[in-house]
Structure formats: C-alpha cells, structure tokens
C-alpha cells in the first residue's frame, strides 16, 4: 500500500469508470443505496488490479433486476435466494447483492439468509476487516467501521468483531485467513490465530468441496508456504491435509535425515520458481504444486532406522502415490488431477538412478514413456527436489539432469519419443496375424512396444518380421 491518498485516487478512478458510474446513477435515480464493497476496495488500496466488481444495496433482488435490465447487455439470476444478481454493463461483469444480516445455527455452515437494510450490518458479517470496507456511490464516501485501512497499513488480518464468533459462523474463514496470508503477504493477528487454533475442529462441518476450493486457491498464490505453515501451526491441516503435519518427523541428533516438512515446503517454492521459467507450463499449475507439496508424504509410514542409525524410507514414492490418491479422492478433486499428482509422486525418485550409472537409450525411452503427459512437470519436480546445501552435490545433480533432458531432446528429434508407440498399430497387427480383436492383439501390441523401447524405431518391414516370429513361437 503506497498511501491512503493514492488509494483514494484509485477508488475515484474506479468510480469514474463507465460501468460503475452508470450503475451508481441508475440506483440513485431509483432512490436506492449502492456501495462498492469488499475485494475491489481492498485491492484499490493495495494497488492491485481490480478484477471483480462487487456491490451491495438496500434494493431487493427483484428491484436490482428491474434496475439493471435497461442498462446492461445481459443479466444472470445467479443467486436470487441469497440476494445476488449479476449483469454485464459496458463489457464489465458486475454482481449486486442485497444487504445481508444472516444468522447461523451453530451446527452447520448453512446460514439462515436474512436481508438487511444497513450497509454497516452487511459489512459486519464479512470475514476480515480489510474486506469489510465500502465506497458509497455516487457520493464516494469511504465506509470503514472496522479499521480496515489501519489493518492494510500494518498488513494484519483481523476479523470484524470477535474472531471466535466469525469463525464459529463460518469455519471456512479460517482457511481464507491462510490463503490471504499467502496472497496478500499479511500476518494474522495473535488473537485471530488463537481463535483458529481453538476452533480448528469446526472446519469438519464445512463441505469438502468448499475446503478443496479454498486449498486450491491457496496453492495457486505466488507463495503458498506462509499459508500452509499457518494451517499446520493452528491444527487446521490435521483436518484438511493431515499428511503435511505428519511430515514433521523427529530429526535425529546426528542429522541422518533432513527435516522432511521443511524440505517439502522448499521443494514447493523451488517448483513454483521453475514453473515460471518454463514456457510450456501454464501457471499457476495446481497439479505441479500439489505434487511438489505431497511428493514425500510416504516417508512417515516407511521410515526405518537401520544399523548405524541411518534412517531409510524405502518405497516411499510408491506408498506416497497411494496416499496422495486417497487424500485427493477424499477432497473430491477430479480424476485427472488425482491421477496426474499420484503419477508425479510415484516417479519423483526415478531420475536419481541416472547419477549412479549411465542410462541406455532404452532406459531414457522408458523414462519418457512412464512420465507420459507429465514429463515436463516431472522435469520440474525432479529439479526442485534437490535442496542440499552441498554445492558440489547440487551442481552434480543439476548437470546430470541437464544431460538427461538433452538426451531426451536428441532421441525425441531422432525417433519421436514424445509419444512412444509401436511401429505397427492394432489394425495392422490384426491384418498381419489374421486375428480379430482379442487379448492376443493387446499382447502383440505390448511385444512391439517393448521392442520400440529397447531398440527404437524398427520400420514396418522389420516390425512385421519380428511380430511373425513372436507369433509363431506362441
């Protein structure tokens, strides 16, 4: 935040924009109040781009629809029961909501929706003071009953009123605090942190879909680590992503293994930096970031102390992939996200065998084949997984992966291994062997695929020769 004066100027410019000015004039002519509320006001103060135009009014949903229809290109009745009408005015989408004065039953997250007649009361029910500011229109009067400007200046998150009441009403606000910590770079006030810690179990009454959506928003911020730390420190992570606090393994006095929790957060940060440097990755990439965060979650259950006090985590990649699948299913992520994350967790150690001895071209092809569509993400995860402070070791691993990527590129250019397929497809196999669709076709396909991986392209003639010899032996 540069200065209050700059923020007021930004708000003035926003109020002068055609869609806002048109809307304000129309509501004033009809005798209703209108205010720009929440995120747009906050972002104007922070000098951030305003992407959403949210308004509050004392007009009813029916009146809102009647008022905006003549001045808008389109209207959406997106939440009439909750008092919200959306419209597109001069190419901008706006959402206008009737003042609310909801109450909660204390047992579920579902509010008893009550329309109000006061902007002050509407702001009181919002999550944080920095989101509880409004700009009255067309008067351009800033309404800040909960000292949101002061919190913006101090970069602090507090709630309007007691945090216990706010989080008791809607426990998801605790996860929003973690997200805003990362998104805005703010610190949560001590009283608010204490309330989050006390009420962490209340997050269980929130729908899984809302929790997953908030977790996704957190991971897509520029630096999710601060928010993840807050979830862990307050105990919220134990309820929404328990595999992360479980990474806080006891580090032995001889440091025979690194701090897995801190290592995972570092890998996440490094993966985000690499994501930004790879044009082929469109960020923020949820799959990549989730895989980076979860890549070592198999370690707690595979940890063993061997002779000499050496700590091992054998097969934690495979175990971790299964745990990631289970957790993401519980959180109801889509199938593609679950499969992709689990595959990256399973493969994240594969490269480290490359430094122990030169891979054959066949091994390189199999690496590409196994990674499939996740190859570019696997490149990032593997590089990000190097967090050693030993500069010589880090350089050796980096040079080795440079070599592997160069070999992948060279073989791909020569053989087209970006999509490894046999020289003959299913139709050709059936024609050559004179068989119908069956398991034999699948077995023949696998045989030719193994040849392709071992030897590279054979050409149709040689592939047919090998196929006939294999078939005759069967």
């Amino acid at each position: 935040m540069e200065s209050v004066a700059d923020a007021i100027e930004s708000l003035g410019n926003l109020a002068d924009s055609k869609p806002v000015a048109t809307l304000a004039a129309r509501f004033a002519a009809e005798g209703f109040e209108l205010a720009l509320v929440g995120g747009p006001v906050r972002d104007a103060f922070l000098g951030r781009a305003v992407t959403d135009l949210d308004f509050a009014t004392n007009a009813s949903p029916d009146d809102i629809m009647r008022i905006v229809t003549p001045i808008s290109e389109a209207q959406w009745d997106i939440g009439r029961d909750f008092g919200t009408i959306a419209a597109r005015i001069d190419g901008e989408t706006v959402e206008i909501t009737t003042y609310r004065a909801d109450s909660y039953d204390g047992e579920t997250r579902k509010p008893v929706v009550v329309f109000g007649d006061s902007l002050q009361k509407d702001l009181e029910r919002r999550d944080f003071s920095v989101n509880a500011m409004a700009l009255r229109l067309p008067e351009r009067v800033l309404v800040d009953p909960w000292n949101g400007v002061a919190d913006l200046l101090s970069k602090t998150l507090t709630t309007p009123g007691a945090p216990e009441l706010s989080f008791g009403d809607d426990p998801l606000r605790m996860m929003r605090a973690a997200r805003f910590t990362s998104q805005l770079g703010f610190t949560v006030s001590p009283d608010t942190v204490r309330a989050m810690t006390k009420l962490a179990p209340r997050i269980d009454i929130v729908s899984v879909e809302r929790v997953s959506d908030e977790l996704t928003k957190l991971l897509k911020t520029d630096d999710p680590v601060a928010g993840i730390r807050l979830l862990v420190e307050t105990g919220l992570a134990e309820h929404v992503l328990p595999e992360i606090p479980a990474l806080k393994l006891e580090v032995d006095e001889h440091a025979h293994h690194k701090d897995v929790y801190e290592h995972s957060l570092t890998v996440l940060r490094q993966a985000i930096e690499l994501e930004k440097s790879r044009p082929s990755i469109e960020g923020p990439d949820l799959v990549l970031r989730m895989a980076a965060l979860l890549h070592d979650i198999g370690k707690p259950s595979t940890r063993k102390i061997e002779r000499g006090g050496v700590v091992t985590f054998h097969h934690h990649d495979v175990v971790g992939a299964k745990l990631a699948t289970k957790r993401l299913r519980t959180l109801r992520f889509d199938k593609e996200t679950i499969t992709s994350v689990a595959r990256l967790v399973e493969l994240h150690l594969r490269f480290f065998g490359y430094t122990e001895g030169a891979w054959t071209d066949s091994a390189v092809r199999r690496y590409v084949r196994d990674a499939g569509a996740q190859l570019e993400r696997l490149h990032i995860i593997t590089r990000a997984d190097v967090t050693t402070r030993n500069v010589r070791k880090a350089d050796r691993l980096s040079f080795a992966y440079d070599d592997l990527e160069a070999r992948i590129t060279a073989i791909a250019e020569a053989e087209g291994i970006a999509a490894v397929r046999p020289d003959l497809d299913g139709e050709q196999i059936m024609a050559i062997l004179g068989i119908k669709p069956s398991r034999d076709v699948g077995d023949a396909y696998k045989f030719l695929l193994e040849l392709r991986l071992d030897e590279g392209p054979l050409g149709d003639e040689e592939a047919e020769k090998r196929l006939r010899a294999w078939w005759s032996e069967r």
Side-chain angles (χ1 to χ4, degrees):
M1 180 172 172
E2 296 180 2
S3 71
V4 174
D6 289 337
I8 296 298
E9 183 179 352
S10 295
L11 285 170
N13 292 336
L14 191 58
D16 285 336
S17 67
K18 191 172 181 180
V20 176
T22 301
L23 199 63
R26 180 68 180 172
F27 271 79
E30 293 287 338
F32 291 108
E33 297 177 6
L34 185 73
L36 188 68
V37 295
V41 180
R42 177 200 69 214
D43 289 343
F45 271 94
L46 292 174
R48 294 163 58 96
V50 175
T51 56
D52 299 310
L53 292 175
D54 297 326
F55 299 86
T57 180
N58 60 345
S60 69
D62 288 339
D63 283 326
I64 295 172
M65 183 65 82
R66 175 178 60 79
I67 292 169
V68 301
T69 297
I71 59 172
S72 59
E73 301 95 58
Q75 309 84 37
W76 300 276
D77 189 352
I78 62 173
R80 185 181 291 267
D81 291 343
F82 295 93
T84 302
I85 301 295
R88 186 167 60 245
I89 301 174
D90 292 307
E92 291 283 350
T93 298
V94 301
E95 289 189 8
I96 307 126
T97 303
T98 304
Y99 294 154
R100 297 264 294 273
D102 301 344
S103 60
Y104 296 80
D105 60 16
E107 297 299 325
T108 69
R109 160 60 192 108
K110 295 180 180 179
V112 177
V113 178
V114 178
F115 294 145
D117 56 8
S118 164
L119 176 60
Q120 177 100 2
K121 288 291 185 182
D122 183 87
L123 296 176
E124 182 179 343
R125 53 172 286 279
R126 294 177 183 267
D127 53 6
F128 302 105
S129 65
V130 296
N131 295 328
M133 298 183 291
L135 183 70
R136 284 192 182 276
L137 298 169
E139 303 95 323
R140 302 190 185 189
V141 173
L142 180 66
V143 181
D144 182 17
W146 302 101
N147 299 314
V149 172
D151 282 350
L152 284 173
L153 288 168
S154 64
K155 295 187 175 181
T156 305
L157 283 178
T158 65
T159 58
E164 291 82 3
L165 292 176
S166 179
F167 297 150
D169 284 346
D170 184 359
L172 190 70
R173 290 171 177 168
M174 296 185 287
M175 288 194 67
R176 285 170 62 82
R179 194 235 303 176
F180 285 130
T181 297
S182 286
Q183 183 176 314
L184 303 177
F186 283 16
T187 300
V188 180
S189 72
D191 287 347
T192 307
V193 171
R194 281 192 288 271
M196 291 171 67
T197 304
K198 177 182 177 181
L199 297 175
R202 292 277 294 166
I203 197 67
D204 292 337
I205 72 171
V206 179
S207 71
V208 173
E209 290 81 4
R210 293 185 73 221
V211 169
S212 298
D213 182 60
E214 200 57 49
L215 186 60
T216 296
K217 290 177 180 177
L218 168 58
L219 283 174
K220 286 187 173 184
T221 61
D222 285 343
D223 184 7
V225 170
I228 293 168
R229 287 190 189 281
L230 185 61
L231 292 179
V232 172
E233 290 164 6
T234 58
L236 280 161
E238 292 282 359
H239 297 269
V240 300
L241 204 58
E243 293 78 8
I244 301 308
L247 293 174
K248 284 194 164 189
L249 303 176
E250 180 181 351
V251 180
D252 61 283
E253 58 180 331
H254 301 294
H256 285 149
H257 71 84
K258 65 183 69 177
D259 185 327
V260 183
Y261 172 69
E262 291 297 333
H263 165 74
S264 297
L265 296 183
T266 299
V267 171
L268 174 58
R269 269 200 172 121
Q270 293 185 167
I272 291 172
E273 287 304 308
L274 289 168
E275 170 195 288
K276 295 174 182 176
S277 68
R278 296 241 174 180
S280 57
I281 297 291
E282 184 177 349
D285 190 315
L286 176 64
V287 168
L288 173 68
R289 297 176 181 208
M290 186 71 80
L293 180 62
L294 302 182
H295 79 284
D296 273 348
I297 60 172
K299 281 190 171 180
S301 58
T302 58
R303 180 174 183 256
K304 289 185 179 180
I305 301 178
E306 309 288 353
R307 288 183 179 180
V310 176
V311 180
T312 62
F313 305 96
H314 295 308
H315 308 300
H316 76 269
D317 46 348
V318 177
V319 172
K322 293 178 180 177
L323 291 174
T325 298
K326 183 178 180 181
R327 176 54 52 194
L328 296 182
R329 281 178 179 166
T330 299
L331 289 169
R332 297 182 188 172
F333 280 93
D334 62 275
K335 183 178 180 181
E336 183 178 352
T337 296
I338 295 170
T339 302
S340 300
V341 170
R343 191 60 170 156
L344 288 167
V345 173
E346 182 181 359
L347 294 175
H348 82 273
L349 287 181
R350 182 73 62 88
F351 157 72
F352 292 95
Y354 190 83
T355 61
E356 297 169 4
W359 280 7
T360 62
D361 285 351
S362 174
V364 174
R365 294 187 194 102
R366 291 174 189 278
Y367 186 80
V368 174
R369 186 274 308 270
D370 291 346
Q374 305 310 316
L375 181 61
E376 192 69 13
R377 287 175 173 140
L378 183 59
H379 289 333
I380 293 176
I381 293 288
T382 303
R383 289 184 181 275
D385 198 20
V386 179
T387 61
T388 179
R389 295 179 181 178
N390 184 320
V391 176
R392 181 175 295 181
K393 181 179 180 182
D395 286 345
R396 178 170 58 83
L397 290 169
S398 179
F399 293 150
Y401 208 84
D402 288 344
D403 182 67
L404 176 57
E405 284 205 68
R407 289 185 65 191
I408 289 172
T409 299
I411 295 175
E413 290 175 352
E415 304 177 4
I417 64 166
V420 181
R421 298 185 180 90
D423 294 272
L424 305 174
D425 62 23
E427 293 292 335
Q428 290 171 302
I429 290 170
M430 289 188 287
I432 291 169
L433 300 182
I435 58 177
K436 296 180 179 180
S438 62
R439 182 175 179 178
D440 287 335
V441 179
D443 289 343
Y445 189 92
K446 291 177 183 177
F447 166 74
L448 290 173
L449 179 58
E450 289 299 314
L451 283 179
R452 173 73 170 80
L453 291 167
D454 287 337
E455 302 180 30
L458 299 173
D460 288 3
E461 185 176 341
E462 180 63 17
E464 180 177 343
K465 179 181 176 182
R466 301 280 192 96
L467 176 63
R468 290 187 182 279
W470 171 81
W471 183 251
S472 65
E473 291 175 3
R474 281 170 62 90

